[in-house]
Amino acid sequence: MACIYEYRKHPKLYTEYAYDACMDTHCASSSWPQLSQQNTGVLSRDAGATALQTVHKVFTYLLKPLSDARCQTGYEMIWADKNVRLCFPKLFCWLADHRANATIHAIASNHCPVCIVLVEKRGKYSETGYPRRSHADYITTYRESDALSLNEQGVKNINNALWSLIELNPLDLVRADILYNILLGVWTHMIDWIQDFLEHYERINVFDYVWRRLPPYPGFCVLTKSYRVVSQ
Ligand SMILES: [Zn+2]
């Protein structure tokens, strides 16, 4: 549990927990063809499902305070102002990269945790979008032991820990990961593109000059080197 977001909602106080996830996703590889563990280190399909189920049993245990009877009646918590308030913890989001999301949502790592876009259509624009996943249906299908139907949608045939949480739609947990999605993804791609563009028009030196002369303001460290020469 990395951070807690709190806000007041009259007359009750709600506390929303954001979990920062960083976990071993080895078991998420269970949808891959069965290979010899001795030769490849990849778990067989059954071993992968068992490992993932164990992970979700641990999740279920850890998330117990968000699913037990007291989460309905409220937990008394001491606040920074020393007052005791009634809190209703909710799982709000789970910051994770795609591999970790595959584990958390118990899906195959080559599938989207939010929609059921076909593998070959990923990355392609769609006017209509793709149907969103229905965990309510997955619960029913799991209880009917219909592993084949789950597998067709890239869903693991395990008892998902997120299903134990009241009024939670697992799709709502997915958020952009600032580090991997924005800073190391969009930002890096964008700035590389801009630099190529400026070099092409012989304006890169002007860009460097402006970059190094950005004025200071609270929370901002003044840059002394051009962006190009800073590796991280
Ligand atoms: Zn999707």
Side-chain angles (χ1 to χ4, degrees):
M1 191 183 306
C3 49
I4 301 173
Y5 298 118
E6 298 165 325
Y7 67 95
R8 186 181 288 270
K9 221 179 193 182
H10 187 77
K12 290 178 179 175
L13 187 69
Y14 288 77
T15 303
E16 295 186 341
Y17 288 70
Y19 288 78
D20 192 359
C22 179
M23 62 202 70
D24 184 350
T25 55
H26 184 58
C27 50
S29 63
S30 60
S31 65
W32 298 346
Q34 185 167 342
L35 300 169
S36 163
Q37 190 171 355
Q38 184 182 358
N39 295 333
T40 65
V42 176
L43 296 176
S44 69
R45 185 181 293 267
D46 287 347
T50 303
L52 186 59
Q53 184 63 82
T54 302
V55 169
H56 274 256
K57 281 182 178 172
V58 174
F59 283 167
T60 303
Y61 177 79
L62 294 174
L63 297 171
K64 207 81 177 168
L66 307 185
S67 63
D68 62 13
R70 285 190 66 197
C71 80
Q72 298 285 307
T73 56
Y75 286 91
E76 288 186 352
M77 295 184 184
I78 302 170
W79 276 53
D81 61 4
K82 303 286 193 292
N83 286 317
V84 176
R85 290 186 169 87
L86 204 55
C87 297
F88 299 82
K90 306 280 183 192
L91 189 57
F92 179 66
C93 65
W94 202 322
L95 297 181
D97 60 18
H98 174 70
R99 295 282 293 180
N101 265 322
T103 301
I104 296 162
H105 293 260
I107 58 163
S109 57
N110 60 351
H111 283 68
C112 174
V114 175
C115 73
I116 48 177
V117 57
L118 296 173
V119 172
E120 61 271 19
K121 291 193 173 177
R122 283 181 308 171
K124 295 192 172 72
Y125 178 72
S126 165
E127 287 284 349
T128 55
Y130 299 102
R132 285 166 65 85
R133 293 185 177 279
S134 169
H135 279 267
D137 291 345
Y138 296 158
I139 292 171
T140 306
T141 310
Y142 172 76
R143 287 175 181 162
E144 291 171 349
S145 302
D146 189 355
L148 199 62
S149 296
L150 290 173
N151 192 45
E152 283 174 356
Q153 297 204 7
V155 179
K156 303 293 185 179
N157 183 34
I158 65 156
N159 191 12
N160 191 321
L162 300 178
W163 298 343
S164 67
L165 303 182
I166 301 157
E167 298 175 0
L168 171 76
N169 184 353
L171 311 189
D172 296 337
L173 298 179
V174 180
R175 296 286 191 280
D177 181 330
I178 296 293
L179 176 60
Y180 292 104
N181 293 154
I182 307 298
L183 298 182
L184 298 178
V186 174
W187 168 261
T188 303
H189 176 76
M190 186 184 72
I191 207 81
D192 287 348
W193 183 88
I194 287 174
Q195 286 188 139
D196 288 347
F197 176 81
L198 293 170
E199 281 174 3
H200 180 79
Y201 287 99
E202 299 178 354
R203 303 293 288 169
I204 190 69
N205 290 334
V206 178
F207 176 78
D208 289 343
Y209 178 84
V210 174
W211 181 270
R212 291 196 306 269
R213 280 158 184 77
L214 289 171
Y217 57 86
F220 173 69
C221 295
V222 176
L223 305 162
T224 56
K225 297 177 181 175
S226 61
Y227 177 82
R228 288 179 294 163
V229 301
V230 180
S231 59
Q232 181 80 23

